[in-house]
Amino acid sequence: MSVFSGMSRPMKAAGVVLIGVAIIAAVIGGVSALSGDGSNEAGPSGTPSSPGTTTGSQPPSGTTSTPPQSTTSPASTTPPSPTSPAPGQPTSGQPGQPGDQQTSNKWVTVRVFNNSTIKGLADRAAEDFRGSGWNVNEVSNYSQGVIPTTTAFYRPGTDEEAAAKQLAQEFGIKAEPRFPGIESATPGVIVIVTKEYESGHKGS
């Protein structure tokens, strides 16, 4: 029996162990190689953004976010200016403005009646009154009695009173309250002219 024959069993056992180690190493190496290739070729996670877009709620760099401005104007606090009366309308009389009151008086209706034998005397008086701006709308005769002198009659407490007094002062005649015979007559100043009106207003 040779020396080598005595050593064959231990060597065979060692060789089997080495072969096993080599197989295990080969298996581990193959697994490592496979896992390493996968990690090297994997792309970045997530989806890339399109050009010109931004992600999240923040505005792009270099721009500022401006809140919308209100377009509603504040309510005007300037008080409205007082309106003027429409053209052509008579102005009401105010204290301290006698001219306005006198103009207003001439809007009162005036009716003229002839109480004389002079034909057309009431028409002549009506023309005089109209020429001065008075509102004469009736001319007729009065034959229910004799009136002493030309007079402008009015209903007390109405606008006829101021109008009759102004008319009387302007034409030099009398102004008196209505008497019983004409108390219920149509509203307005009643002027009854007598014969002295002609002599007192010749050429007028």
Side-chain angles (χ1 to χ4, degrees):
M1 186 176 221
S2 65
V3 176
F4 295 102
S5 64
M7 297 177 58
S8 61
R9 286 187 178 179
M11 290 182 66
K12 286 182 180 180
V16 171
V17 171
L18 289 174
I19 291 171
V21 171
I23 292 172
I24 292 172
V27 171
I28 294 174
V31 172
S32 298
L34 289 175
S35 62
D37 290 342
S39 61
N40 289 337
E41 293 180 2
S45 61
T47 304
S49 302
S50 301
T53 63
T54 58
T55 59
S57 59
Q58 295 298 324
S61 60
T63 62
T64 57
S65 176
T66 304
Q69 299 295 324
S70 173
T71 58
T72 305
S73 309
S76 175
T77 57
T78 305
S81 59
T83 56
S84 301
Q89 296 296 325
T91 56
S92 59
Q94 298 292 335
Q97 297 178 339
D100 289 343
Q101 183 61 52
Q102 289 175 0
T103 301
S104 179
N105 288 339
K106 291 190 175 185
W107 284 92
V108 176
T109 299
V110 176
R111 295 182 293 136
V112 183
F113 296 89
N114 187 356
N115 188 234
S116 75
T117 57
I118 303 171
K119 187 176 181 179
L121 182 62
D123 289 312
R124 197 178 314 163
E127 288 177 7
D128 293 341
F129 300 158
R130 288 186 182 118
S132 185
W134 290 92
N135 180 30
V136 178
N137 70 352
E138 183 181 356
V139 178
S140 188
N141 295 315
Y142 180 76
S143 58
Q144 277 75 39
V146 177
I147 305 301
T149 184
T150 301
T151 306
F153 295 98
Y154 59 85
R155 291 177 300 163
T158 68
D159 54 359
E160 296 172 11
E161 182 171 356
K165 290 178 179 179
Q166 181 179 331
L167 177 64
Q169 183 178 10
E170 188 172 338
F171 288 93
I173 61 178
K174 291 177 66 177
E176 294 182 358
R178 288 187 182 189
F179 56 88
I182 60 173
E183 277 181 347
S184 59
T186 304
V189 175
I190 297 175
V191 179
I192 300 179
V193 293
T194 60
K195 61 183 180 180
E196 98 288 343
Y197 184 85
E198 181 183 37
S199 60
H201 293 79
K202 283 183 178 180
S204 60

